[in-house]
Amino acid sequence: MLYKLIYFFHADISWLNVFRYITFRTIISSLFALILLLFFGGWVIGKLKQMQIGQPIREDGPPNHKTKEGTPTMGGCLILPVVIISTLLWADVRNIYVLLVLLVMGCFGAIGFLDDYLKTVRKSSRGLSIKAKFSLQVLVALIVALSLYYFPGYDTRLNLPFFKNVSPDLGIGYIVLAIFIIVGASNAVNLTDGLDGLAIGPIVIAFGSYVIFSYLAGHVKIASYLQIPYVAGAGELSVACGAVVGAGLGFLWYNAFPADVFMGDVGSLPLGAVLGTVAVITKQEIVLVLVGGLFVVETLSVIFQVAYFRMTGGGRIFRMAPLHHHFELKGWPESKITVRFWIIAIILALLSISTLKLR
Ligand code: 57M
């Protein structure tokens, strides 16, 4: 909301007029989040160390992970406040979509926090039970889906990339789809977060793509020109996505190999859930499969591995799932896997943006 105050003076200082524009506020929000994170990063990591919030490492994991024992975790406690502050300052907080995104971030952050707290502070080996975690995630996603469904004029048709004349109306089924996307994205990012920089890099890339999708969806003329669904007010989400891009880059500074901090569930669960929520709001749900293709592939590797394991009574498709562990066990150095996965994420993001013209 700070931008409203600054803009108030534009009659006297004409250049302050730029604060009206979403594009300008998105850049400011990213840079502000980046600087804030870099500024407080070292201090928060120091505090996490002091409080002995260190990552316990599983015995059955790839051997090189043993050296990571005790690395401070719960870095999400740094990312989340930075994104929330930057969004509150530079976005219009009367916008229902911005409020929903902040709600998702807070609630999924709380679920992740509880899980991390039980694992690292209470030293419970399991953390929150899978059932409790999943039920809470579904509950929050249901609230979001219902809010959107009953929001006047919200479109429950499905926007299919490549097909401009095919958009089936899902009606009440849209609620189920929205829950699936939000909860699925949250858990997919969580599964991917297993190597230094592996999750946060593609998160920055995916949110960077949704800066563009949100802006276009909220612009009546461009949306009509591109034949994508127009969602009045969705443009303001660019500012929130920009804050995640900035905070994500700042976090990468500390999470790059060899990591000084891990984000923990308090980081991965809300970042994934917000990504899913933005995809649902902007009506770019299906394209999320491409934008977040890396998260999808990592999740599928687990699904196939577990299914095959059960079917064959112990057989494996990959040396270990999720997929990044497979390459680790094949002997690829950690940073090579991470950078190669980023390259794939960039290619997928570019392809997804190109779908805007291919219809
Ligand atoms: C969490 N957490 C990381 C860190 C991070 C169903 C099954 C596939 C579930 C899966 C699982 O539990 N995944 C979710 C993955 C952990 O990282 C912490 O968790 C947070 C994210 N939630 O922020 O706090 C470890 O990952 C490493 N790490 C880094 N750098 C980072 O920046 O190196 C994380 C962030 C950290 C650190 O070592 O301790 C994790 O991997 O546990 N389970 C698995 O992934 C396990 N896979 C498995 O059991 N596969 C079997 C099944 C599917 C049949 C198989 O293939 O045979 C593996 N995970 C581990 N060891 N650690 C296997 C064994």
Side-chain angles (χ1 to χ4, degrees), residues 55-58 60-61 65 68 73 190-191 193-196 255 262-265 268 302 305-306 316 320-322 325 334:
Q55 180 69 46
I57 306 287
R58 280 173 51 166
D60 53 353
H65 283 250
K68 295 169 185 264
T73 185
N190 186 33
L191 283 176
D193 189 25
L195 294 181
D196 298 351
N255 184 233
F262 301 152
M263 69 170 85
D265 281 21
S268 59
V302 170
Q305 179 92 329
V306 174
R316 284 183 164 83
M320 190 185 277
H325 287 319
E334 178 168 350

Side-chain angles (χ1 to χ4, degrees), residues 85-289:
I85 291 171
S86 196
T87 305
L88 288 177
L89 290 179
W90 306 112
D92 182 356
V93 287
R94 290 166 310 174
N95 180 296
I96 173 81
Y97 300 134
V98 171
L99 288 176
L100 274 181
V101 159
L102 291 177
L103 176 87
V104 169
M105 184 155 273
C107 292
F108 276 77
I111 300 169
F113 182 88
L114 195 59
D115 193 34
D116 285 337
Y117 176 81
L118 292 174
K119 278 192 228 155
T120 56
V121 181
R122 289 291 182 89
K123 310 285 181 209
S124 128
S125 57
R126 293 167 139 253
L128 208 57
S129 75
I130 293 179
K131 208 170 153 191
K133 200 153 123 179
F134 186 69
S135 310
L136 288 170
Q137 290 179 323
V138 171
L139 181 70
V140 180
L142 175 70
I143 294 170
V144 174
L146 284 174
S147 316
L148 286 174
Y149 185 76
Y150 287 109
F151 189 66
Y154 193 76
D155 190 353
T156 52
R157 278 175 302 174
L158 192 61
N159 168 41
L160 298 174
F162 307 117
F163 301 99
K164 63 178 171 191
N165 294 322
V166 189
S167 45
D169 192 345
L170 300 183
I172 200 144
Y174 194 83
I175 294 177
V176 179
L177 179 79
I179 295 172
F180 177 75
I181 292 171
I182 297 168
V183 175
S186 175
N187 290 309
V189 171
N190 186 33
L191 283 176
T192 307
D193 189 25
L195 294 181
D196 298 351
L198 186 67
I200 199 68
I203 276 288
V204 168
I205 296 162
F207 274 94
S209 310
Y210 274 98
V211 162
I212 299 173
F213 286 127
S214 313
Y215 181 78
L216 302 178
H219 195 295
V220 68
K221 285 190 185 149
I222 304 181
S224 139
Y225 169 70
L226 291 171
Q227 301 185 338
I228 57 169
Y230 166 61
V231 186
E236 210 54 44
L237 285 182
S238 295
V239 185
C241 290
V244 180
V245 171
L249 282 175
F251 185 72
L252 183 56
W253 185 272
Y254 298 105
N255 184 233
F257 180 82
D260 303 323
V261 66
F262 301 152
M263 69 170 85
D265 281 21
V266 64
S268 59
L269 294 182
L271 287 176
V274 167
L275 183 62
T277 308
V278 172
V280 169
I281 295 174
T282 54
K283 313 284 315 155
Q284 297 294 335
E285 316 89 343
I286 300 300
V287 93
L288 179 62
V289 178

Side-chain angles (χ1 to χ4, degrees), residues 37 44 48 72-80 251 261-264 266-267:
L37 204 135
V44 172
L48 289 170
T73 185
M74 296 182 80
C77 292
L78 175 64
I79 305 173
L80 261 52
F251 185 72
V261 66
F262 301 152
M263 69 170 85
V266 64

